[in-house]
């Protein structure tokens, strides 16, 4: 039976424009629907793109890496006593996620993407901390030479590692069970080697932790420790509180959170020629630095806080303006000798690396 179109039930002239655009809509939507090959390509692009996202996010923490290059190289960002992100630790986690991704094919994109995201953060942290670590070994402006030799060693052992990896892939790691056994063992060896490398590396720039250790040694033993003396004493695992003997100084808080406006004028009169302000906080002394304050300014403020803490603990007095005056004059008497000895021991006192600490300008 031949089908016929009843043109009396609608008006062809009025319907034709609408149907034409409906055809355009269907054609365009069909063109946007990806083929299986396109979907696979997009998935791999998204997986690899997560590494670049991690790199961009990690780039915001550059100032913290300058302040604590060894901890960032090994463990990363600490908040309280918790480790949030890491360099070598996070890189091994990323590799582990990539190895495990075939075990969950329905979540392959998520697991592999998360692994690449972790590796992206780790790569930026490792590269960013490499320069300050190399700088601590430079003596006569030979930073480029040190960097070139360090990269040569890194390349050499990377090639050796690739050869060992090829051998393992054809023997022990040929199965998933072998990978699950060999992976953690290799990761432990890797992290132990990096931790020993970081512990043996002396850092000659001043940050809050190293400044507290230097001042503590000077007050207790009358000696100025060198970067090599402190390298094995730095705690790379836990974010411990600073020493109470050195005033328990905390650096980096915003001025409006540290000093009340009514007390600002009084403190400026005590430290009228200085680029720091000290104020008694809840659990120690808060030090606020000017925008262009150097390591020498931070050392001066730290010594004042330490001497004030000694006066308060010995005489049971409160931390008043008179106590600050006494500590300030005591600091001025010993600081020239202290500073000269620091510079002779190899410390860079021209800058103070307090991470993302807030500073003020008057």
């Amino acid at each position: 039976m031949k089908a016929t179109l009843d043109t009396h039930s609608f008006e062809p002239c009025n319907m034709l424009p609408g149907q034409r655009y409906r055809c355009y809509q269907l054609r365009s939507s069909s063109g946007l629907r990806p083929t299986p090959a396109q979907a696979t390509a997009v998935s791999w692009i998204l997986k690899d793109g997560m590494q670049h996202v991690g790199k961009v996010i990690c780039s915001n923490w550059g100032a913290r890496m300058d302040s604590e290059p060894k901890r960032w190289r090994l463990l990363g960002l600490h908040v309280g006593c918790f480790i949030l992100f890491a360099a070598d630790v996070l890189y091994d986690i990323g590799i582990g996620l990539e190895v495990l991704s075939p075990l969950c094919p329905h979540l392959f994109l998520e697991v592999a993407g998360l692994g690449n995201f972790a590796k992206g953060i780790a790569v930026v942290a490792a590269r960013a901390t490499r320069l300050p670590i190399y700088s601590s070994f430079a003596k006569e402006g030979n930073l480029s030479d040190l960097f070139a030799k360090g990269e040569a060693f890194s390349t050499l052992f990377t090639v050796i590692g690739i050869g060992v990896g090829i051998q393992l892939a054809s023997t022990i790691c040929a199965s998933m069970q072998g990978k699950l056994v060999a992976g953690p063992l290799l990761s432990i060896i890797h992290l132990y080697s990096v931790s020993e490398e970081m512990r043996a590396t002396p850092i000659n720039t001043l940050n809050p932790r190293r400044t507290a250790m230097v001042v503590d040694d000077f007050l207790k033993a009358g000696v100025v420790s060198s970067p090599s003396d402190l390298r094995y004493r730095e705690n790379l695992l836990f974010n411990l509180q600073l020493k109470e003997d050195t005033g328990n100084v905390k650096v980096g808080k915003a001025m409006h959170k540290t000093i009340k406006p009514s007390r600002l004028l009084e403190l400026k009169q005590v430290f009228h020629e200085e680029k720091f302000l000290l104020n008694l906080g809840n659990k120690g002394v808060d030090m606020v630095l000017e925008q262009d304050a150097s390591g020498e300014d931070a050392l001066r403020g730290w010594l004042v806080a330490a001497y004030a803490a000694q006066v308060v603990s010995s005489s049971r007095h409160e931390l008043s303006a008179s106590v600050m005056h006494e500590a300030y004059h005591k600091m001025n008497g010993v600081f020239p000798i202290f500073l000269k000895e620091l510079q002779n021991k190899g410390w860079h006192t021209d800058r103070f690396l307090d991470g993302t600490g807030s500073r003020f300008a008057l």
Side-chain angles (χ1 to χ4, degrees):
M1 181 177 180
K2 187 176 180 180
T4 59
L5 181 64
D6 186 7
T7 58
H8 298 286
S9 60
F10 63 90
E11 296 182 8
C13 295
N14 295 335
M15 188 176 179
L16 183 59
Q19 292 301 312
R20 181 188 303 136
Y21 287 105
R22 178 174 174 80
C23 292
Y24 293 158
Q25 175 190 354
L26 294 174
R27 184 180 300 175
S28 61
S29 62
S30 299
L32 292 175
R33 189 176 299 129
T35 64
Q38 290 174 333
T40 303
V42 170
S43 297
W44 279 98
I45 291 173
L46 290 175
K47 179 183 76 70
D48 294 338
M50 289 299 294
Q51 183 169 353
H52 298 289
V53 174
K55 290 180 179 180
V56 172
I57 292 176
C58 189
S59 64
N60 296 323
W61 302 322
R64 300 183 184 184
M65 297 179 197
D66 282 329
S67 178
E68 292 280 5
K70 295 201 295 185
R71 298 179 74 190
W72 268 92
R73 174 60 192 270
L74 179 62
L75 294 173
L77 176 64
H78 290 68
V79 174
C81 294
F82 298 97
I83 302 171
L84 294 186
F85 294 107
D88 288 278
V89 173
L90 200 57
Y91 192 83
D92 287 358
I93 292 175
I95 292 178
L97 289 174
E98 285 189 333
V99 172
L100 295 175
S101 59
L103 296 179
C104 43
H106 58 291
L107 295 175
F108 173 79
L109 179 60
E110 291 81 356
V111 175
L114 186 60
N116 271 346
F117 178 76
K119 288 169 62 178
I121 294 177
V123 166
V124 172
R127 290 177 179 174
T129 55
R130 196 173 300 166
L131 187 59
I133 290 173
Y134 282 148
S135 299
S136 63
F137 293 101
K139 295 297 183 182
E140 299 176 356
N142 59 338
L143 182 59
S144 297
D145 186 36
L146 283 172
F147 193 86
K149 287 181 170 57
E151 291 303 297
F153 275 107
S154 177
T155 303
L156 173 63
F157 285 97
T158 298
V159 172
I160 295 175
I162 291 174
V164 174
I166 293 174
Q167 186 66 26
L168 290 175
S170 59
T171 54
I172 300 175
C173 298
S175 63
M176 180 57 69
Q177 291 81 0
K179 294 177 183 177
L180 295 178
V181 173
L185 293 177
L186 293 174
S187 180
I188 291 173
I189 295 173
H190 170 227
L191 294 178
Y192 174 77
S193 302
V194 174
S195 65
E196 290 301 307
E197 176 194 0
M198 292 299 102
R199 290 182 68 242
T201 302
I203 302 296
N204 52 16
T205 54
L206 292 172
N207 69 347
R209 188 173 303 275
R210 289 187 287 274
T211 302
M213 296 172 68
V214 168
V215 172
D216 184 60
D217 290 344
F218 179 71
L219 294 180
K220 288 183 177 179
V223 298
V224 176
S225 300
S226 66
S228 298
D229 297 331
L230 297 184
R231 55 182 173 174
Y232 288 108
R233 293 166 51 192
E234 289 190 76
N235 196 317
L236 303 180
L237 297 179
F238 301 103
N239 193 22
L240 301 177
Q241 296 295 324
L242 300 179
K243 299 177 179 295
E244 294 184 0
D245 298 337
T246 59
N248 199 14
V249 180
K250 298 178 182 178
V251 187
K253 286 187 178 180
M255 178 181 284
H256 68 276
K257 296 181 180 179
T258 305
I259 303 173
K260 296 180 179 179
S262 58
R263 186 164 170 74
L264 179 60
L265 182 60
E266 178 185 355
L267 292 176
K268 286 298 295 181
Q269 291 176 351
V270 176
F271 309 111
H272 61 281
E273 295 181 353
E274 301 294 341
K275 295 183 179 181
F276 64 86
L277 294 176
L278 298 176
N279 186 50
L280 179 62
N282 295 329
K283 297 181 180 180
V285 177
D286 294 314
M287 180 166 65
V288 183
L289 298 171
E290 281 194 21
Q291 195 67 38
D292 58 344
S294 65
E296 296 181 17
D297 299 310
L299 286 167
R300 291 173 67 87
W302 221 290
L303 277 175
V304 173
Y307 284 134
Q310 287 183 347
V311 174
V312 170
S313 61
S314 61
S315 60
R316 303 290 183 180
H317 290 165
E318 294 184 356
L319 190 60
S320 59
S322 60
V323 173
M324 284 291 189
H325 272 293
E326 181 181 349
Y328 183 68
H329 288 299
K330 193 172 183 180
M331 178 274 298
N332 281 328
V334 302
F335 188 75
I337 300 175
F338 177 57
L339 178 62
K340 184 177 181 180
E341 191 65 23
L342 277 172
Q343 294 172 344
N344 291 337
K345 289 294 181 70
W347 289 102
H348 291 176
T349 59
D350 56 332
R351 56 188 179 274
F352 182 73
L353 304 176
D354 52 345
T356 57
S358 176
R359 297 195 178 191
F360 73 94
L362 293 178

